[in-house]
Amino acid sequence: MAKLGQFTVRTQSRIQFVRIDEEVQRAIGESGIDDGICTVFVPHTTAGVTINENADPDVIRDIIAELNKVIPFSDGYQHSEGNSAAHIKSSLVGASETVLVENGRLVLGTWQSLFFCEFDGPRTRRVLVKVI
Ligand code: ZN
């Protein structure tokens, strides 16, 4: 079994989606596995990972705008750290994605990319990649 791959993502904003296809593809290459399944996992409680459109950046802008509407930054939350909105967004989006690997390549649709989702930045974050 290939060892765990990992890389870091430095975010610049409180909320930001960062494309990570290239980093994940590099981790797949380092795994030496040509055909299998790749899990991308974010070990953070205020971040996430998702797959969505990479062509029109307005799609990501709309997703972020709607998430902010549904889960406002302040809403009488109990959590004393003051970042409950980020925790809730993290749970909604999820901490992992599973992607197919074929001929050593990440299998995604033409318009799809993997995005690291920052909900409480800016920070330096870790992304873990396991290929089996
Ligand atoms: Zn917190």
Side-chain angles (χ1 to χ4, degrees), residues 2-10 20-31 38-44 116 124-131:
K3 72 179 174 66
L4 188 66
Q6 73 172 288
F7 58 89
T8 57
V9 176
R10 285 179 188 82
I20 55 171
D21 299 341
E22 282 181 25
E23 291 87 344
V24 173
Q25 182 59 56
R26 193 174 308 127
I28 290 169
E30 287 167 2
S31 78
C38 171
T39 293
V40 180
F41 179 75
V42 171
H44 302 287
F116 173 85
T124 298
R125 302 290 206 168
R126 292 168 67 214
V127 178
L128 308 181
V129 180
K130 185 76 172 182
V131 188

PDB file of all heavy atoms in Angstrom, residues 2-10 20-31 38-44 116 124-131:
ATOM      1  N   ALA A   2       0.481   2.221  -0.780  1.00  0.00           N
ATOM      2  CA  ALA A   2       1.268   3.452  -0.888  1.00  0.00           C
ATOM      3  C   ALA A   2       1.196   4.239   0.419  1.00  0.00           C
ATOM      4  O   ALA A   2       0.193   4.217   1.118  1.00  0.00           O
ATOM      5  CB  ALA A   2       0.733   4.298  -2.036  1.00  0.00           C
ATOM      6  N   LYS A   3       2.294   4.934   0.720  1.00  0.00           N
ATOM      7  CA  LYS A   3       2.277   5.748   1.943  1.00  0.00           C
ATOM      8  C   LYS A   3       1.391   6.987   1.753  1.00  0.00           C
ATOM      9  O   LYS A   3       1.092   7.375   0.618  1.00  0.00           O
ATOM     10  CB  LYS A   3       3.691   6.126   2.354  1.00  0.00           C
ATOM     11  CG  LYS A   3       4.382   7.163   1.483  1.00  0.00           C
ATOM     12  CD  LYS A   3       5.778   7.421   2.059  1.00  0.00           C
ATOM     13  CE  LYS A   3       6.611   8.326   1.207  1.00  0.00           C
ATOM     14  NZ  LYS A   3       6.153   9.697   1.081  1.00  0.00           N
ATOM     15  N   LEU A   4       1.037   7.552   2.892  1.00  0.00           N
ATOM     16  CA  LEU A   4       0.162   8.716   2.901  1.00  0.00           C
ATOM     17  C   LEU A   4       0.845   9.907   2.227  1.00  0.00           C
ATOM     18  O   LEU A   4       1.981  10.240   2.553  1.00  0.00           O
ATOM     19  CB  LEU A   4      -0.168   9.058   4.353  1.00  0.00           C
ATOM     20  CG  LEU A   4      -1.220  10.114   4.630  1.00  0.00           C
ATOM     21  CD1 LEU A   4      -2.584   9.632   4.154  1.00  0.00           C
ATOM     22  CD2 LEU A   4      -1.271  10.413   6.123  1.00  0.00           C
ATOM     23  N   GLY A   5       0.155  10.529   1.279  1.00  0.00           N
ATOM     24  CA  GLY A   5       0.664  11.747   0.676  1.00  0.00           C
ATOM     25  C   GLY A   5       0.082  12.951   1.387  1.00  0.00           C
ATOM     26  O   GLY A   5      -0.986  12.864   1.993  1.00  0.00           O
ATOM     27  N   GLN A   6       0.806  14.060   1.347  1.00  0.00           N
ATOM     28  CA  GLN A   6       0.227  15.277   1.920  1.00  0.00           C
ATOM     29  C   GLN A   6       0.870  16.519   1.321  1.00  0.00           C
ATOM     30  O   GLN A   6       1.985  16.476   0.798  1.00  0.00           O
ATOM     31  CB  GLN A   6       0.326  15.287   3.439  1.00  0.00           C
ATOM     32  CG  GLN A   6       1.685  15.518   4.025  1.00  0.00           C
ATOM     33  CD  GLN A   6       1.563  15.701   5.543  1.00  0.00           C
ATOM     34  OE1 GLN A   6       1.084  16.710   6.033  1.00  0.00           O
ATOM     35  NE2 GLN A   6       1.995  14.692   6.288  1.00  0.00           N
ATOM     36  N   PHE A   7       0.113  17.604   1.374  1.00  0.00           N
ATOM     37  CA  PHE A   7       0.637  18.898   0.937  1.00  0.00           C
ATOM     38  C   PHE A   7      -0.072  19.981   1.736  1.00  0.00           C
ATOM     39  O   PHE A   7      -1.043  19.707   2.442  1.00  0.00           O
ATOM     40  CB  PHE A   7       0.447  19.094  -0.575  1.00  0.00           C
ATOM     41  CG  PHE A   7      -0.969  19.006  -1.072  1.00  0.00           C
ATOM     42  CD1 PHE A   7      -1.777  20.123  -1.124  1.00  0.00           C
ATOM     43  CD2 PHE A   7      -1.488  17.783  -1.492  1.00  0.00           C
ATOM     44  CE1 PHE A   7      -3.078  20.042  -1.580  1.00  0.00           C
ATOM     45  CE2 PHE A   7      -2.804  17.692  -1.959  1.00  0.00           C
ATOM     46  CZ  PHE A   7      -3.588  18.826  -2.005  1.00  0.00           C
ATOM     47  N   THR A   8       0.467  21.204   1.649  1.00  0.00           N
ATOM     48  CA  THR A   8      -0.142  22.305   2.383  1.00  0.00           C
ATOM     49  C   THR A   8      -0.793  23.289   1.410  1.00  0.00           C
ATOM     50  O   THR A   8      -0.399  23.396   0.250  1.00  0.00           O
ATOM     51  CB  THR A   8       0.889  23.063   3.245  1.00  0.00           C
ATOM     52  OG1 THR A   8       1.925  23.531   2.397  1.00  0.00           O
ATOM     53  CG2 THR A   8       1.488  22.170   4.307  1.00  0.00           C
ATOM     54  N   VAL A   9      -1.801  23.970   1.911  1.00  0.00           N
ATOM     55  CA  VAL A   9      -2.494  25.024   1.167  1.00  0.00           C
ATOM     56  C   VAL A   9      -2.462  26.281   2.036  1.00  0.00           C
ATOM     57  O   VAL A   9      -2.862  26.232   3.198  1.00  0.00           O
ATOM     58  CB  VAL A   9      -3.958  24.643   0.862  1.00  0.00           C
ATOM     59  CG1 VAL A   9      -4.680  25.796   0.180  1.00  0.00           C
ATOM     60  CG2 VAL A   9      -4.034  23.378   0.015  1.00  0.00           C
ATOM     61  N   ARG A  10      -1.945  27.374   1.477  1.00  0.00           N
ATOM     62  CA  ARG A  10      -1.951  28.654   2.200  1.00  0.00           C
ATOM     63  C   ARG A  10      -3.089  29.508   1.658  1.00  0.00           C
ATOM     64  O   ARG A  10      -3.079  29.875   0.481  1.00  0.00           O
ATOM     65  CB  ARG A  10      -0.606  29.370   2.034  1.00  0.00           C
ATOM     66  CG  ARG A  10       0.486  28.754   2.867  1.00  0.00           C
ATOM     67  CD  ARG A  10       1.832  29.446   2.698  1.00  0.00           C
ATOM     68  NE  ARG A  10       2.877  28.681   3.372  1.00  0.00           N
ATOM     69  CZ  ARG A  10       3.482  27.615   2.838  1.00  0.00           C
ATOM     70  NH1 ARG A  10       3.172  27.216   1.624  1.00  0.00           N
ATOM     71  NH2 ARG A  10       4.398  26.954   3.521  1.00  0.00           N
ATOM     72  N   ILE A  20      -6.996  22.190  -6.181  1.00  0.00           N
ATOM     73  CA  ILE A  20      -5.881  21.341  -5.731  1.00  0.00           C
ATOM     74  C   ILE A  20      -5.665  20.131  -6.642  1.00  0.00           C
ATOM     75  O   ILE A  20      -5.015  19.164  -6.240  1.00  0.00           O
ATOM     76  CB  ILE A  20      -6.098  20.883  -4.257  1.00  0.00           C
ATOM     77  CG1 ILE A  20      -7.457  20.191  -4.097  1.00  0.00           C
ATOM     78  CG2 ILE A  20      -5.965  22.058  -3.300  1.00  0.00           C
ATOM     79  CD1 ILE A  20      -7.647  19.526  -2.728  1.00  0.00           C
ATOM     80  N   ASP A  21      -6.171  20.183  -7.874  1.00  0.00           N
ATOM     81  CA  ASP A  21      -6.009  19.054  -8.809  1.00  0.00           C
ATOM     82  C   ASP A  21      -4.532  18.675  -8.988  1.00  0.00           C
ATOM     83  O   ASP A  21      -4.181  17.494  -8.966  1.00  0.00           O
ATOM     84  CB  ASP A  21      -6.575  19.402 -10.194  1.00  0.00           C
ATOM     85  CG  ASP A  21      -8.050  19.719 -10.163  1.00  0.00           C
ATOM     86  OD1 ASP A  21      -8.717  19.345  -9.191  1.00  0.00           O
ATOM     87  OD2 ASP A  21      -8.527  20.349 -11.116  1.00  0.00           O
ATOM     88  N   GLU A  22      -3.688  19.692  -9.207  1.00  0.00           N
ATOM     89  CA  GLU A  22      -2.275  19.407  -9.505  1.00  0.00           C
ATOM     90  C   GLU A  22      -1.573  18.751  -8.320  1.00  0.00           C
ATOM     91  O   GLU A  22      -0.802  17.807  -8.491  1.00  0.00           O
ATOM     92  CB  GLU A  22      -1.535  20.700  -9.872  1.00  0.00           C
ATOM     93  CG  GLU A  22      -1.807  21.146 -11.293  1.00  0.00           C
ATOM     94  CD  GLU A  22      -1.050  22.423 -11.654  1.00  0.00           C
ATOM     95  OE1 GLU A  22       0.001  22.696 -11.034  1.00  0.00           O
ATOM     96  OE2 GLU A  22      -1.519  23.132 -12.558  1.00  0.00           O
ATOM     97  N   GLU A  23      -1.842  19.259  -7.117  1.00  0.00           N
ATOM     98  CA  GLU A  23      -1.203  18.693  -5.924  1.00  0.00           C
ATOM     99  C   GLU A  23      -1.660  17.252  -5.694  1.00  0.00           C
ATOM    100  O   GLU A  23      -0.863  16.386  -5.320  1.00  0.00           O
ATOM    101  CB  GLU A  23      -1.530  19.549  -4.685  1.00  0.00           C
ATOM    102  CG  GLU A  23      -0.870  20.919  -4.702  1.00  0.00           C
ATOM    103  CD  GLU A  23      -1.689  21.985  -5.427  1.00  0.00           C
ATOM    104  OE1 GLU A  23      -2.614  21.633  -6.182  1.00  0.00           O
ATOM    105  OE2 GLU A  23      -1.378  23.173  -5.230  1.00  0.00           O
ATOM    106  N   VAL A  24      -2.952  17.009  -5.904  1.00  0.00           N
ATOM    107  CA  VAL A  24      -3.478  15.648  -5.715  1.00  0.00           C
ATOM    108  C   VAL A  24      -2.901  14.725  -6.788  1.00  0.00           C
ATOM    109  O   VAL A  24      -2.496  13.591  -6.498  1.00  0.00           O
ATOM    110  CB  VAL A  24      -5.019  15.647  -5.743  1.00  0.00           C
ATOM    111  CG1 VAL A  24      -5.557  14.221  -5.714  1.00  0.00           C
ATOM    112  CG2 VAL A  24      -5.575  16.443  -4.561  1.00  0.00           C
ATOM    113  N   GLN A  25      -2.831  15.232  -8.026  1.00  0.00           N
ATOM    114  CA  GLN A  25      -2.249  14.427  -9.111  1.00  0.00           C
ATOM    115  C   GLN A  25      -0.792  14.068  -8.802  1.00  0.00           C
ATOM    116  O   GLN A  25      -0.354  12.943  -9.053  1.00  0.00           O
ATOM    117  CB  GLN A  25      -2.357  15.191 -10.435  1.00  0.00           C
ATOM    118  CG  GLN A  25      -1.827  14.422 -11.630  1.00  0.00           C
ATOM    119  CD  GLN A  25      -2.536  13.102 -11.836  1.00  0.00           C
ATOM    120  OE1 GLN A  25      -3.737  13.049 -11.965  1.00  0.00           O
ATOM    121  NE2 GLN A  25      -1.773  12.010 -11.833  1.00  0.00           N
ATOM    122  N   ARG A  26      -0.052  15.024  -8.231  1.00  0.00           N
ATOM    123  CA  ARG A  26       1.342  14.752  -7.866  1.00  0.00           C
ATOM    124  C   ARG A  26       1.408  13.638  -6.813  1.00  0.00           C
ATOM    125  O   ARG A  26       2.243  12.728  -6.898  1.00  0.00           O
ATOM    126  CB  ARG A  26       1.993  16.032  -7.329  1.00  0.00           C
ATOM    127  CG  ARG A  26       3.515  15.942  -7.213  1.00  0.00           C
ATOM    128  CD  ARG A  26       4.126  17.293  -6.822  1.00  0.00           C
ATOM    129  NE  ARG A  26       3.676  18.367  -7.692  1.00  0.00           N
ATOM    130  CZ  ARG A  26       3.136  19.511  -7.281  1.00  0.00           C
ATOM    131  NH1 ARG A  26       2.981  19.738  -5.981  1.00  0.00           N
ATOM    132  NH2 ARG A  26       2.756  20.419  -8.131  1.00  0.00           N
ATOM    133  N   ALA A  27       0.503  13.700  -5.828  1.00  0.00           N
ATOM    134  CA  ALA A  27       0.482  12.667  -4.778  1.00  0.00           C
ATOM    135  C   ALA A  27       0.131  11.301  -5.361  1.00  0.00           C
ATOM    136  O   ALA A  27       0.673  10.274  -4.934  1.00  0.00           O
ATOM    137  CB  ALA A  27      -0.522  13.063  -3.686  1.00  0.00           C
ATOM    138  N   ILE A  28      -0.745  11.279  -6.355  1.00  0.00           N
ATOM    139  CA  ILE A  28      -1.087  10.014  -7.017  1.00  0.00           C
ATOM    140  C   ILE A  28       0.151   9.470  -7.726  1.00  0.00           C
ATOM    141  O   ILE A  28       0.460   8.279  -7.635  1.00  0.00           O
ATOM    142  CB  ILE A  28      -2.260  10.218  -8.003  1.00  0.00           C
ATOM    143  CG1 ILE A  28      -3.551  10.489  -7.231  1.00  0.00           C
ATOM    144  CG2 ILE A  28      -2.429   8.995  -8.909  1.00  0.00           C
ATOM    145  CD1 ILE A  28      -4.709  10.964  -8.101  1.00  0.00           C
ATOM    146  N   GLY A  29       0.876  10.352  -8.412  1.00  0.00           N
ATOM    147  CA  GLY A  29       2.098   9.938  -9.089  1.00  0.00           C
ATOM    148  C   GLY A  29       3.111   9.349  -8.111  1.00  0.00           C
ATOM    149  O   GLY A  29       3.734   8.320  -8.388  1.00  0.00           O
ATOM    150  N   GLU A  30       3.263   9.991  -6.960  1.00  0.00           N
ATOM    151  CA  GLU A  30       4.222   9.522  -5.958  1.00  0.00           C
ATOM    152  C   GLU A  30       3.798   8.204  -5.326  1.00  0.00           C
ATOM    153  O   GLU A  30       4.627   7.459  -4.811  1.00  0.00           O
ATOM    154  CB  GLU A  30       4.401  10.596  -4.871  1.00  0.00           C
ATOM    155  CG  GLU A  30       5.209  11.803  -5.380  1.00  0.00           C
ATOM    156  CD  GLU A  30       5.135  13.015  -4.453  1.00  0.00           C
ATOM    157  OE1 GLU A  30       4.483  12.919  -3.390  1.00  0.00           O
ATOM    158  OE2 GLU A  30       5.721  14.059  -4.805  1.00  0.00           O
ATOM    159  N   SER A  31       2.483   7.920  -5.375  1.00  0.00           N
ATOM    160  CA  SER A  31       1.994   6.667  -4.790  1.00  0.00           C
ATOM    161  C   SER A  31       2.408   5.467  -5.628  1.00  0.00           C
ATOM    162  O   SER A  31       2.475   4.344  -5.126  1.00  0.00           O
ATOM    163  CB  SER A  31       0.469   6.698  -4.660  1.00  0.00           C
ATOM    164  OG  SER A  31      -0.153   6.443  -5.921  1.00  0.00           O
ATOM    165  N   CYS A  38      -8.607   7.146  -4.819  1.00  0.00           N
ATOM    166  CA  CYS A  38      -7.861   8.175  -4.098  1.00  0.00           C
ATOM    167  C   CYS A  38      -8.814   8.902  -3.153  1.00  0.00           C
ATOM    168  O   CYS A  38      -9.837   9.425  -3.591  1.00  0.00           O
ATOM    169  CB  CYS A  38      -7.276   9.152  -5.115  1.00  0.00           C
ATOM    170  SG  CYS A  38      -6.540  10.609  -4.384  1.00  0.00           S
ATOM    171  N   THR A  39      -8.467   8.907  -1.888  1.00  0.00           N
ATOM    172  CA  THR A  39      -9.223   9.702  -0.928  1.00  0.00           C
ATOM    173  C   THR A  39      -8.429  10.953  -0.591  1.00  0.00           C
ATOM    174  O   THR A  39      -7.245  10.871  -0.279  1.00  0.00           O
ATOM    175  CB  THR A  39      -9.525   8.903   0.354  1.00  0.00           C
ATOM    176  OG1 THR A  39     -10.416   7.839   0.033  1.00  0.00           O
ATOM    177  CG2 THR A  39     -10.180   9.779   1.412  1.00  0.00           C
ATOM    178  N   VAL A  40      -9.097  12.079  -0.697  1.00  0.00           N
ATOM    179  CA  VAL A  40      -8.509  13.370  -0.334  1.00  0.00           C
ATOM    180  C   VAL A  40      -9.189  13.795   0.968  1.00  0.00           C
ATOM    181  O   VAL A  40     -10.418  13.907   1.012  1.00  0.00           O
ATOM    182  CB  VAL A  40      -8.753  14.414  -1.437  1.00  0.00           C
ATOM    183  CG1 VAL A  40      -8.149  15.761  -1.053  1.00  0.00           C
ATOM    184  CG2 VAL A  40      -8.205  13.919  -2.770  1.00  0.00           C
ATOM    185  N   PHE A  41      -8.389  13.984   2.006  1.00  0.00           N
ATOM    186  CA  PHE A  41      -8.935  14.233   3.340  1.00  0.00           C
ATOM    187  C   PHE A  41      -8.337  15.500   3.941  1.00  0.00           C
ATOM    188  O   PHE A  41      -7.127  15.708   3.892  1.00  0.00           O
ATOM    189  CB  PHE A  41      -8.634  13.034   4.251  1.00  0.00           C
ATOM    190  CG  PHE A  41      -9.129  13.212   5.660  1.00  0.00           C
ATOM    191  CD1 PHE A  41     -10.465  13.095   5.970  1.00  0.00           C
ATOM    192  CD2 PHE A  41      -8.231  13.513   6.688  1.00  0.00           C
ATOM    193  CE1 PHE A  41     -10.922  13.275   7.268  1.00  0.00           C
ATOM    194  CE2 PHE A  41      -8.683  13.691   7.985  1.00  0.00           C
ATOM    195  CZ  PHE A  41     -10.031  13.566   8.277  1.00  0.00           C
ATOM    196  N   VAL A  42      -9.203  16.331   4.502  1.00  0.00           N
ATOM    197  CA  VAL A  42      -8.787  17.588   5.128  1.00  0.00           C
ATOM    198  C   VAL A  42      -8.906  17.429   6.651  1.00  0.00           C
ATOM    199  O   VAL A  42     -10.024  17.278   7.160  1.00  0.00           O
ATOM    200  CB  VAL A  42      -9.693  18.738   4.630  1.00  0.00           C
ATOM    201  CG1 VAL A  42      -9.444  20.002   5.418  1.00  0.00           C
ATOM    202  CG2 VAL A  42      -9.471  18.981   3.142  1.00  0.00           C
ATOM    203  N   PRO A  43      -7.768  17.428   7.382  1.00  0.00           N
ATOM    204  CA  PRO A  43      -7.813  17.180   8.828  1.00  0.00           C
ATOM    205  C   PRO A  43      -8.060  18.454   9.634  1.00  0.00           C
ATOM    206  O   PRO A  43      -7.299  18.789  10.537  1.00  0.00           O
ATOM    207  CB  PRO A  43      -6.423  16.589   9.113  1.00  0.00           C
ATOM    208  CG  PRO A  43      -5.541  17.303   8.145  1.00  0.00           C
ATOM    209  CD  PRO A  43      -6.371  17.545   6.899  1.00  0.00           C
ATOM    210  N   HIS A  44      -9.138  19.151   9.299  1.00  0.00           N
ATOM    211  CA  HIS A  44      -9.457  20.425   9.951  1.00  0.00           C
ATOM    212  C   HIS A  44     -10.963  20.510  10.184  1.00  0.00           C
ATOM    213  O   HIS A  44     -11.740  19.983   9.395  1.00  0.00           O
ATOM    214  CB  HIS A  44      -9.020  21.610   9.076  1.00  0.00           C
ATOM    215  CG  HIS A  44      -7.566  21.608   8.747  1.00  0.00           C
ATOM    216  ND1 HIS A  44      -6.595  21.918   9.674  1.00  0.00           N
ATOM    217  CD2 HIS A  44      -6.903  21.331   7.596  1.00  0.00           C
ATOM    218  CE1 HIS A  44      -5.400  21.832   9.108  1.00  0.00           C
ATOM    219  NE2 HIS A  44      -5.560  21.472   7.848  1.00  0.00           N
ATOM    220  N   PHE A 116     -10.011  22.777  -2.346  1.00  0.00           N
ATOM    221  CA  PHE A 116      -9.886  22.914  -0.906  1.00  0.00           C
ATOM    222  C   PHE A 116     -10.766  24.098  -0.499  1.00  0.00           C
ATOM    223  O   PHE A 116     -10.714  25.165  -1.129  1.00  0.00           O
ATOM    224  CB  PHE A 116      -8.429  23.181  -0.506  1.00  0.00           C
ATOM    225  CG  PHE A 116      -8.288  23.493   0.952  1.00  0.00           C
ATOM    226  CD1 PHE A 116      -8.169  22.475   1.871  1.00  0.00           C
ATOM    227  CD2 PHE A 116      -8.317  24.802   1.402  1.00  0.00           C
ATOM    228  CE1 PHE A 116      -8.078  22.750   3.217  1.00  0.00           C
ATOM    229  CE2 PHE A 116      -8.225  25.089   2.752  1.00  0.00           C
ATOM    230  CZ  PHE A 116      -8.107  24.056   3.658  1.00  0.00           C
ATOM    231  N   THR A 124      -2.557  28.360   7.115  1.00  0.00           N
ATOM    232  CA  THR A 124      -1.851  27.308   6.376  1.00  0.00           C
ATOM    233  C   THR A 124      -2.498  25.987   6.764  1.00  0.00           C
ATOM    234  O   THR A 124      -2.614  25.664   7.951  1.00  0.00           O
ATOM    235  CB  THR A 124      -0.354  27.302   6.718  1.00  0.00           C
ATOM    236  OG1 THR A 124       0.193  28.564   6.317  1.00  0.00           O
ATOM    237  CG2 THR A 124       0.369  26.193   5.965  1.00  0.00           C
ATOM    238  N   ARG A 125      -2.954  25.244   5.761  1.00  0.00           N
ATOM    239  CA  ARG A 125      -3.736  24.023   5.997  1.00  0.00           C
ATOM    240  C   ARG A 125      -3.040  22.805   5.424  1.00  0.00           C
ATOM    241  O   ARG A 125      -2.227  22.920   4.501  1.00  0.00           O
ATOM    242  CB  ARG A 125      -5.093  24.170   5.305  1.00  0.00           C
ATOM    243  CG  ARG A 125      -5.908  25.373   5.747  1.00  0.00           C
ATOM    244  CD  ARG A 125      -6.414  25.219   7.151  1.00  0.00           C
ATOM    245  NE  ARG A 125      -7.636  25.997   7.354  1.00  0.00           N
ATOM    246  CZ  ARG A 125      -8.427  25.859   8.420  1.00  0.00           C
ATOM    247  NH1 ARG A 125      -8.126  24.995   9.368  1.00  0.00           N
ATOM    248  NH2 ARG A 125      -9.514  26.592   8.526  1.00  0.00           N
ATOM    249  N   ARG A 126      -3.408  21.642   5.924  1.00  0.00           N
ATOM    250  CA  ARG A 126      -2.876  20.376   5.409  1.00  0.00           C
ATOM    251  C   ARG A 126      -3.966  19.634   4.635  1.00  0.00           C
ATOM    252  O   ARG A 126      -5.148  19.685   4.994  1.00  0.00           O
ATOM    253  CB  ARG A 126      -2.419  19.468   6.556  1.00  0.00           C
ATOM    254  CG  ARG A 126      -1.207  19.989   7.303  1.00  0.00           C
ATOM    255  CD  ARG A 126      -1.035  19.189   8.575  1.00  0.00           C
ATOM    256  NE  ARG A 126      -0.675  17.803   8.302  1.00  0.00           N
ATOM    257  CZ  ARG A 126      -1.064  16.763   9.051  1.00  0.00           C
ATOM    258  NH1 ARG A 126      -1.847  16.941  10.091  1.00  0.00           N
ATOM    259  NH2 ARG A 126      -0.678  15.542   8.744  1.00  0.00           N
ATOM    260  N   VAL A 127      -3.551  18.957   3.595  1.00  0.00           N
ATOM    261  CA  VAL A 127      -4.441  18.067   2.847  1.00  0.00           C
ATOM    262  C   VAL A 127      -3.749  16.714   2.747  1.00  0.00           C
ATOM    263  O   VAL A 127      -2.569  16.640   2.392  1.00  0.00           O
ATOM    264  CB  VAL A 127      -4.734  18.608   1.433  1.00  0.00           C
ATOM    265  CG1 VAL A 127      -5.623  17.641   0.668  1.00  0.00           C
ATOM    266  CG2 VAL A 127      -5.375  20.001   1.497  1.00  0.00           C
ATOM    267  N   LEU A 128      -4.445  15.663   3.121  1.00  0.00           N
ATOM    268  CA  LEU A 128      -3.895  14.293   3.082  1.00  0.00           C
ATOM    269  C   LEU A 128      -4.468  13.551   1.894  1.00  0.00           C
ATOM    270  O   LEU A 128      -5.644  13.726   1.540  1.00  0.00           O
ATOM    271  CB  LEU A 128      -4.238  13.554   4.377  1.00  0.00           C
ATOM    272  CG  LEU A 128      -3.856  14.281   5.675  1.00  0.00           C
ATOM    273  CD1 LEU A 128      -4.234  13.418   6.887  1.00  0.00           C
ATOM    274  CD2 LEU A 128      -2.389  14.616   5.710  1.00  0.00           C
ATOM    275  N   VAL A 129      -3.634  12.716   1.280  1.00  0.00           N
ATOM    276  CA  VAL A 129      -4.050  11.958   0.093  1.00  0.00           C
ATOM    277  C   VAL A 129      -3.625  10.507   0.274  1.00  0.00           C
ATOM    278  O   VAL A 129      -2.448  10.223   0.525  1.00  0.00           O
ATOM    279  CB  VAL A 129      -3.384  12.527  -1.178  1.00  0.00           C
ATOM    280  CG1 VAL A 129      -3.816  11.733  -2.408  1.00  0.00           C
ATOM    281  CG2 VAL A 129      -3.711  14.002  -1.353  1.00  0.00           C
ATOM    282  N   LYS A 130      -4.592   9.597   0.178  1.00  0.00           N
ATOM    283  CA  LYS A 130      -4.284   8.169   0.269  1.00  0.00           C
ATOM    284  C   LYS A 130      -4.803   7.489  -0.982  1.00  0.00           C
ATOM    285  O   LYS A 130      -5.991   7.615  -1.325  1.00  0.00           O
ATOM    286  CB  LYS A 130      -4.953   7.568   1.516  1.00  0.00           C
ATOM    287  CG  LYS A 130      -4.591   6.127   1.773  1.00  0.00           C
ATOM    288  CD  LYS A 130      -3.202   6.033   2.352  1.00  0.00           C
ATOM    289  CE  LYS A 130      -2.892   4.618   2.805  1.00  0.00           C
ATOM    290  NZ  LYS A 130      -1.551   4.538   3.402  1.00  0.00           N
ATOM    291  N   VAL A 131      -3.932   6.758  -1.654  1.00  0.00           N
ATOM    292  CA  VAL A 131      -4.326   6.029  -2.860  1.00  0.00           C
ATOM    293  C   VAL A 131      -4.225   4.537  -2.563  1.00  0.00           C
ATOM    294  O   VAL A 131      -3.198   4.066  -2.042  1.00  0.00           O
ATOM    295  CB  VAL A 131      -3.417   6.396  -4.049  1.00  0.00           C
ATOM    296  CG1 VAL A 131      -3.957   5.784  -5.337  1.00  0.00           C
ATOM    297  CG2 VAL A 131      -3.297   7.905  -4.194  1.00  0.00           C
TER     298      VAL A 131
END
